[in-house]
């Protein structure tokens, strides 16, 4: 047998497996080829090294075999060793090759402009949570989020509201948050918040959110009626007011 370490290809005299590069949750074609002048029927199996069950099949003629496969995630290293085993019923041979799986960053849905009053608490969750998708899935796939609200404050943490994906189906995640803007900006200018979601391999997506905060006029508290004789000096008590801005 022989091995070409410069190209990550290993083979026996009968069997050659070619390395492939794939993105997570992308159907990729794994190719191996073989020659054998002494048999007319073969069985083969491929263990992709990612924890999924081996795939097997039969061949009635030597040549090239293409096996589709989906890697759920590039974690933990992005490299998986596949082992191909070929048998003619009398003897068997095998070849191994290292495949590369690339991470795909999550995608955040666009966020519509938000309008609220100063002092009003913006609460997002459930049906109003921010949504993202990620092709990666599996037990090692995880996400964190962060937001710069545009007023000098930030929030963030782990994404806990998720729906795991499957082969051909993206994972979903929802981000809930709450924030209160203490004051509107001058001349009616909006705040621009930056929302970022990051997967466990460092892939990230960021979306800008326009948030318009309206001024709220102060409100005077009612006071009791005052009585004063003509010619007398009226002394006004303190008059209280409320303003949600701060």
């Amino acid at each position: 047998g022989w091995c070409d370490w410069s190209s990550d290809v290993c083979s026996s005299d009968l069997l050659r497996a070619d390395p492939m590069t794939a993105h997570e949750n992308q159907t990729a074609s794994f190719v191996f080829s073989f020659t054998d002048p002494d048999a007319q029927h073969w069985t083969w199996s491929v263990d992709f090294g990612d924890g999924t069950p081996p795939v097997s099949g039969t061949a009635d003629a030597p040549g090239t075999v293409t096996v589709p496969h989906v890697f759920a995630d590039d974690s933990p290293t992005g490299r998986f060793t596949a082992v191909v085993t070929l048998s003619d019923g009398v003897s068997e041979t095998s070849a191994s090759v290292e495949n590369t799986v690339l991470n795909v960053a999550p995608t955040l849905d666009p966020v519509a402009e938000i309008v609220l009053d100063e002092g009003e608490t913006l609460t997002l969750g459930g049906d109003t949570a921010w949504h993202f998708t990620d092709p990666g899935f599996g037990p090692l796939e995880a996400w964190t989020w962060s937001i710069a609200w545009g007023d000098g404050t930030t929030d963030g943490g782990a994404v806990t509201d998720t729906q795991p994906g499957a082969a051909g189906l993206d994972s979903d995640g929802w981000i809930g948050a709450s924030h209160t803007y203490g004051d509107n900006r001058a001349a009616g200018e909006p705040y621009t918040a930056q929302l970022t979601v990051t997967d466990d391999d460092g892939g990230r997506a960021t979306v800008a959110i326009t948030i318009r905060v309206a001024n709220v006029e102060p409100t005077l508290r009612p006071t009791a009626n005052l009585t004063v004789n003509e010619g007398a000096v009226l002394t006004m008590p303190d008059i209280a007011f409320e303003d949600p801005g701060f």
Side-chain angles (χ1 to χ4, degrees):
W2 53 266
C3 286
D4 179 2
W5 298 113
S6 65
S7 62
D8 291 332
V9 174
C10 274
S11 174
S12 71
D13 294 330
L14 300 177
L15 180 62
R16 172 191 173 99
D18 296 329
M20 69 176 181
T21 298
H23 290 86
E24 57 184 6
N25 207 355
Q26 173 198 54
T27 300
S29 296
F30 179 72
V31 178
F32 68 91
S33 57
F34 69 96
T35 59
D36 185 354
D38 301 324
Q40 296 181 344
H41 184 77
W42 301 263
T43 58
W44 56 265
S45 68
V46 181
D47 185 340
F48 285 96
D50 59 352
T52 59
V55 180
S56 59
T58 62
D60 294 324
T64 298
V65 178
T66 300
V67 185
H69 186 69
V70 174
F71 288 95
D73 188 14
D74 67 316
S75 298
T77 65
R79 296 178 73 86
F80 299 87
T81 299
V83 178
V84 185
T85 302
L86 181 72
S87 172
D88 62 3
V90 177
S91 61
E92 68 177 35
T93 187
S94 63
S96 63
V97 64
E98 193 170 70
N99 296 313
T100 301
V101 181
L102 304 177
N103 182 53
V104 180
T107 300
L108 274 162
D109 291 353
V111 179
E113 181 177 285
I114 297 171
V115 179
L116 70 160
D117 292 334
E118 62 181 3
E120 178 184 355
T121 298
L122 169 66
T123 301
L124 299 164
D127 292 340
T128 62
W130 292 313
H131 174 253
F132 69 89
T133 59
D134 192 317
F137 65 96
L140 298 180
E141 194 71 54
W143 303 268
T144 58
W145 67 277
S146 63
I147 186 168
W149 291 104
D151 60 356
T153 62
T154 59
D155 281 313
V159 178
T160 58
D161 188 2
T162 61
Q163 177 64 48
L169 179 66
D170 289 351
S171 297
D172 291 280
W174 293 267
I175 299 168
S178 63
H179 187 69
T180 303
Y181 287 92
D183 197 8
N184 60 296
R185 297 189 67 187
E189 289 294 315
Y191 291 93
T192 300
Q194 297 286 336
L195 173 66
T196 299
V197 60
T198 306
D199 67 23
D200 58 296
D201 298 299
R204 64 180 56 193
T206 299
V207 65
I209 306 169
T210 299
I211 302 176
R212 295 190 181 275
V213 179
N215 181 56
V216 179
E217 295 181 350
T219 302
L220 286 168
R221 291 180 181 174
T223 60
N225 292 332
L226 300 175
T227 302
V228 65
N229 294 326
E230 59 181 356
V233 176
L234 173 64
T235 301
M236 294 289 295
D238 291 338
I239 299 176
F241 68 91
E242 297 176 346
D243 191 322
F246 59 89

